[in-house]
Amino acid sequence: MLFTPANDEDIQKYLLIAKKTNPNVQLAKEHGGSDGRFFAAKGSKVILHRPDCDNVHGKQEYVDLPTMEKVYKIYKDYVTS
């Protein structure tokens, strides 16, 4: 199970940076699996954020490249800030 409080300092910093690139970014609860559980088990915070995509792990899987570029910029800005 992954849980990082919405008011966490790192979450708020990430959200602020993300909103500069995409004002529609918002925090949400989500179901499903992630390798982030292994990091969370060691005490790391986990942020899950992905580009627009569909049919994950299935036929016709795709990722929207323009949103992939936005997510890359957000990651880069967060890591270098």
Side-chain angles (χ1 to χ4, degrees):
M1 174 116 112
L2 304 175
F3 177 75
T4 304
N7 64 350
D8 178 84
E9 179 181 342
D10 292 316
I11 299 297
Q12 289 301 309
K13 177 181 167 185
Y14 184 88
L15 189 59
L16 181 67
I17 290 168
K19 283 184 174 284
K20 289 179 184 175
T21 300
N22 181 356
N24 295 322
V25 170
Q26 57 187 329
L27 297 177
K29 294 181 180 180
E30 186 63 58
H31 66 282
S34 164
D35 289 343
R37 67 186 184 274
F38 299 112
F39 297 101
K42 300 290 184 185
S44 293
K45 297 173 188 175
V46 177
I47 299 172
L48 299 176
H49 185 180
R50 65 179 180 158
D52 292 342
C53 60
D54 203 5
N55 300 313
V56 178
H57 305 301
K59 293 181 180 179
Q60 308 297 322
E61 178 178 11
Y62 73 91
V63 63
D64 179 73
L65 293 180
T67 62
M68 182 71 183
E69 291 172 351
K70 288 181 180 182
V71 172
Y72 170 80
K73 179 179 178 355
I74 293 166
Y75 288 169
K76 181 179 176 188
D77 291 350
Y78 179 78
V79 169
T80 59
S81 69

